[in-house]
Structure formats: C-alpha cells, structure tokens
Amino acid sequence: MGSKIRSIELIANTASGSVGAGAPDEARAILAEFGGKTNVCVPENGDLSGCLQAAVDRAPDLLVILAGDGTARAAAELCGMEGPVIAPLPGGTMNMLPKAVYGTTDWKAALRDTLEYGEERPLGGGVVDGRLFLVAAILGSGALLAPAREAVREGRPVIAFHRARRAWRRAFSGRLRYSLDGGPRGMAEALTFMCPIASRALDDDDQVLEAAVLDPAGVAEALRIGLASVMGDWRNDPAVQAIACRQARIWASSGIPAVLDGEPARLKASVQVTWKSEVTRVRAPPKTARPDEPAAPASKTVKAKA
C-alpha cells in the first residue's frame, strides 16, 4: 500500500445488491494484508448516512465504499475535492460508477488492485438542482421508465413491456423544455446527461457532458430506446438526438422526475445542469484498455457545440 495511505475507512452495506453478509470480514482480511489503520463500518438499523458521515468525519486517507451507486454519490458530495479520496467498489445492483472506474472486476479484486497499484485522480461530474451525478442523469418521463429498462437488462421482455406501459400511463405531463449551451429552445419527453467516464462517445478527459434528447412517440418507441440502451447503441435510434454540452437549462410546468446515478429524485420545475471538471477524488489502478468493453468508435457520434 502506498505510503500516503495511512488510514482507511470502509463502508460495507450488507443490505445492498451484491454485498453479502460475509463481505465485512472479507474486507477486513484484505485490508489487513496491506497494514495501516483501518476501520470497517457496517450500518446498523439502516443508518447508512450516519455511518458514512462518521467515516468522513474521521478524515481517513481513503474512504472505500462497498455499497450502491447512491452511497458512492453521497460520499462524493461529502468529500468533494478537499475531503478523503474515495474508492467506489461494486457493491450495489447497477454499479454504474464502479463499472466506469474499475470495469467489471469483482469488488475484492478491485480493492486489492486499488490498494496495490492505485493512483489518485480527480473525477468530474454533473450538477443539477444542487445535486451531483458522477455517471448519468435522466430527467423527465424517461426516469419513470427505469424499472422497465432493468427488466430488459434482466431478460424479461414481457415484464419490461408492462412496466413501460404502466409508466407511460402516469408519465410526466407537459413535456420538458430545454436549451443546451444557450442554444435554441426545444421540447422533449426526456433528456439524459452522461459523464465522459461512462460515455462511449466521449474520451474520459473530455470536458463536456453527452446530452441526449429523447422524444419517443409512445410506449413502443420508449421501450425500443430502452432495449437499444441495453443491447446496442441507442444513439442510432431515430427518436434520440445526442450532442455534447457543458451547460443546459430545463424547465417544465411542475416538478421534474429524475434518476441520478440510478437513484430516483424529484427536481424543481426549473433546473440547470452543469458539467464540473473536478468534483471529487478517486483512487483506482491506472487506466488501461478493458477487454470486457467494446472499443470506442473511430469517429464520435456526439456533435460538439462550438
């Protein structure tokens, strides 16, 4: 373990997606291999936020998160650029941020590699309505379709269709109005914003968000986009328009449903989405080509605004 890491706090949420009851002891054993002052916190009575806040208050050199994307996002908000460096391990259901940082390796391998070979680096993210997202944000009726999309991912197309139809019936009304980088106003059912670390169309060091305007005509088109996002490249769908942007304004007649890094949220009726190049610091092995992910396209499909 690098000389700069003298103390480590690890949050193990055993109630989260892929964290088993034995994970805390397994984590302690791995940390013991590398020495230093360590503490493993297992939230009691569901008090995850209290456990997280106490860990941050102890000001460790490294804060390891073995939990879901929502906890990793909360840790990033608490730590910022001045607090502890974070290591968001895959311990949830979707593991959006861990996959973007570590690939598809399991949490034990990711922890060992991070402690042995890890490097500290800043991580950019988006901010909307004062809330951070490190991977992706969905605003509008697309946020209501998230359960249908997960059913598609799990290979349950019939359930996916019924979920999509139910979501469409109670879909956010009024549609979204938007302006990207101060450009012309438009209308859409939903918008998504993806950070460079998770975008196939952007390089990790690009200082923009990948914005996508989703305007399906009905439940069938909406489900088609959801299927494409799992099975292929949804950017090729005729109901999707993708563009690179640094800032966006979105407004509607009422509060906007959203999903931030996989976590549902309700935003104000008028919000601004902004890209920030440095929102927190992460520790991870050096960036290398990952054989489990498709190569980036030779030419980007996202159009950058001047």
Side-chain angles (χ1 to χ4, degrees):
M1 182 164 58
S3 58
K4 291 184 178 179
I5 301 182
R6 298 175 296 274
S7 60
I8 299 175
E9 291 281 333
L10 187 146
I11 308 294
N13 184 15
T14 54
S16 190
S18 54
V19 181
D25 288 338
E26 292 177 297
R28 291 186 183 96
I30 294 173
L31 294 177
E33 296 174 14
F34 294 88
K37 180 181 178 182
T38 64
N39 179 59
V40 176
C41 177
V42 180
E44 297 182 1
N45 302 318
D47 187 19
L48 185 57
S49 60
C51 187
L52 179 59
Q53 184 64 65
V56 174
D57 289 344
R58 284 189 281 270
D61 294 317
L62 180 65
L63 174 60
V64 182
I65 305 298
L66 182 53
D69 289 306
T71 307
R73 185 175 63 84
E77 288 183 333
L78 287 173
C79 294
M81 290 297 295
E82 302 300 325
V85 178
I86 66 173
L89 303 183
T93 302
M94 297 180 69
N95 295 318
M96 297 170 66
L97 180 61
K99 286 177 182 177
V101 175
Y102 302 105
T104 56
T105 187
D106 66 45
W107 71 264
K108 286 172 279 190
L111 178 57
R112 282 196 172 92
D113 289 347
T114 295
L115 295 177
E116 188 167 359
Y117 309 112
E119 299 175 343
E120 176 188 319
R121 60 176 183 261
L123 183 66
V127 179
V128 54
D129 199 15
R131 307 185 200 188
L132 185 67
F133 63 92
L134 302 172
V135 179
I138 306 173
L139 279 66
S141 60
L144 302 175
L145 291 167
R149 184 178 182 275
E150 286 310 299
V152 171
R153 186 186 298 275
E154 295 165 2
R156 300 185 292 170
V158 175
I159 293 177
F161 179 79
H162 287 301
R163 286 181 177 178
R165 185 171 60 181
R166 184 167 58 249
W168 199 261
R169 285 172 178 170
R170 65 182 185 92
F172 172 68
S173 61
R175 305 180 76 197
L176 296 178
R177 289 166 174 77
Y178 66 91
S179 173
L180 304 179
D181 283 337
R185 296 181 179 185
M187 295 180 65
E189 284 290 337
L191 289 99
T192 69
F193 297 90
M194 189 166 289
C195 297
I197 194 172
S199 170
R200 294 183 183 179
L202 299 175
D203 294 328
D204 284 1
D205 56 357
D206 283 343
Q207 298 302 309
V208 292
L209 292 165
E210 178 187 355
V213 180
L214 283 65
D215 203 21
V219 64
E221 283 197 4
L223 190 58
R224 184 186 70 208
I225 294 173
L227 180 63
S229 69
V230 176
M231 305 300 293
D233 193 344
W234 48 264
R235 297 173 192 84
N236 296 325
D237 193 283
V240 176
Q241 177 188 4
I243 193 169
C245 77
R246 296 178 180 85
Q247 194 170 23
R249 182 184 169 220
I250 301 100
W251 65 99
S253 58
S254 61
I256 302 171
V259 174
L260 307 179
D261 288 351
E263 295 290 314
R266 190 79 180 184
L267 308 178
K268 294 184 297 187
S270 178
V271 297
Q272 184 167 289
V273 179
T274 305
W275 163 256
K276 295 186 67 174
S277 60
E278 296 183 352
V279 296
T280 193
R281 297 176 298 156
V282 297
R283 183 177 176 89
K287 299 177 184 178
T288 57
R290 294 173 185 149
D292 56 317
E293 294 184 357
S299 60
K300 296 179 183 179
T301 60
V302 176
K303 298 179 291 182
K305 292 179 74 73

